[in-house]
Amino acid sequence: MTEEQKIHIRPMEQKDLAAVAALEAQIFTEAWSLPLWEETLKSGRYDCQILEPDKPEDRREPAGELMGYLCGQIILDEGELHRIAVRPDLQHRGYGQALLTDFLTRSERAGAANILLEVRAGNTPAIALYTKNGFTRIALRKNYYKNPKEDALILEKQTRSSLRNITTA
């Protein structure tokens, strides 16, 4: 992502869900449906964010155009990243990093001691992004994904919040 490309990350709203579900279907073979996205947002238990162009003078995309999204949640002191997606034509420009950094920052501020996620074992770009951000493999779920059949890696990141909670005996 270059300096001149301004972006804005904001909470997901009902008006975003059709575009989110459409991008979801384009990106994931096991996509969340529009009704599932509606229920996720309605529940109020998830932290879902939208990535969009910032100011009109800086937009390279049409106003209100969905560039990507992220959905996770924090339960007690544990965060979990459920979904992250960037439009295919905008990938490899740092937008996924921006969404992930935003989620990690908000998770740590909310008191998450660690963040978990699962990723297809063959999703090399996603694994590289997560590894670059301090995630490490903690488990493998054999044949977890069905379309196509593939293992899932469970990755974890300890936050600075968790390091502050470590005491010496």
Side-chain angles (χ1 to χ4, degrees), residues 120-139:
R120 283 184 178 270
N123 190 343
T124 307
I127 294 167
L129 173 66
Y130 300 139
T131 302
K132 180 174 101 175
N133 284 275
F135 284 86
T136 57
R137 178 179 159 175
I138 60 167

Side-chain angles (χ1 to χ4, degrees), residues 72-145:
Q73 75 183 128
I74 299 169
I75 302 172
L76 301 174
D77 67 344
E78 185 172 275
E80 186 168 351
L81 177 60
H82 296 291
R83 302 306 248 195
I84 184 170
V86 173
R87 279 190 1 222
D89 63 314
L90 298 175
Q91 291 178 2
H92 310 292
R93 297 184 189 183
Y95 296 126
Q97 178 65 60
L99 282 163
L100 183 59
T101 297
D102 181 68
F103 177 71
L104 294 174
T105 300
R106 283 183 291 98
S107 296
E108 186 172 343
R109 285 183 189 150
N114 63 320
I115 312 288
L116 294 167
L117 63 85
E118 67 186 31
V119 61
R120 283 184 178 270
N123 190 343
T124 307
I127 294 167
L129 173 66
Y130 300 139
T131 302
K132 180 174 101 175
N133 284 275
F135 284 86
T136 57
R137 178 179 159 175
I138 60 167
L140 174 75
R141 290 184 179 150
K142 294 293 283 176
N143 300 317
Y144 179 77
Y145 294 103

